[in-house]
Amino acid sequence: MEEIKFNQIGVSFKGSGSYVPDQILTNQKISQKVDTSDEWIKSRTGISERRISNLKENVTEMGYVAALNAIKMANWDIETIDLIILATSTPNDLFGSAPSIQAKLGAENAVAFDLTAACSGFLFSLVTATQYLKGGSFKRAIVIGADQLSSFVDWNDRRSCILFGDGAGALAIEATNLFDNFIGFDMRTDGERGSFLNLPSKNNKDSIVDNIDFLSGGFSSIQMNGQEVYKFAVREVPIILEKLFRTTNFSSDKVDWLILHQANQRILDSVGDRLKISKEKILSNLEKYGNTSAATIPIMMDEAIRDNRIKQNDIIASSGFGAGLSWGAALFKWG
């Protein structure tokens, strides 16, 4: 029988990396700050501790280490990288932190830019990078998810301060004409529900000269309606994944791993139940790191790849969801 040749450009996954700060903020320590307890937090979220950046750490530093680890696993010459996308909502430079990562890596041939979509950011960035690669514009890309949410948490608000932590993760992906391991994706946004989770700017009125007023720059702390975000996630995430399975002619029983944005263990369990995916296939490190926004999916992937849970040719279903409100799903094969 004649061999069927793959004539289109596909995507291959070549490496992963991550970074989390050394500072550990446990539930017990948070209970010294606000009226809560370890049992209360764990029973409602699944979180036991989270990592907090020190005074010298930021999104650039964390993203750089994660990217470098992914490049080392891929065994790439840094000069061969064409594209760097940083998914973040907390850049240490509001004009963009990806160029700083590009410079630290010495990836002088790569174009680098930030993409902001909060907790959906990494998945949206992964989709964006794969489309550049499949379009033939670039050969090699680094996709980074990094956030420093500790800088924007109200540490006196016990409803939200228990949820968030800092960290970074990255994937190295490459164009190939031999096969395509990026099977499919779907993405959605509903700005009408955006007020459920946001980080609004501060509207501090000031004056330049007489009759010329302006609003000075700055941001408030994270604003969140936890009940509404929970209802949104447990409803919309299974729907978008089920739709993706239909359009790609896959079924949930063919999935080796489900990797969701690590927001709340109850959300992960609920989505798994709806899709009839066993708990053994649902990857979670929420207990150790909390919600690191755009970093949750790539940190989880890197841990599972390095401890050999995720193996060559494993099928992974993933979904990111959060502020915007935005959500998306991707189906891909590792390797």
Side-chain angles (χ1 to χ4, degrees), residues 248-262:
T248 55
N249 294 316
F250 263 80
S251 59
S252 60
D253 62 328
K254 293 182 180 178
V255 170
D256 293 300
W257 302 106
L258 178 64
I259 305 180
L260 303 177
H261 165 55
Q262 309 283 297

Side-chain angles (χ1 to χ4, degrees), residues 25 255 288:
L25 180 62
V255 170
K288 296 187 295 181

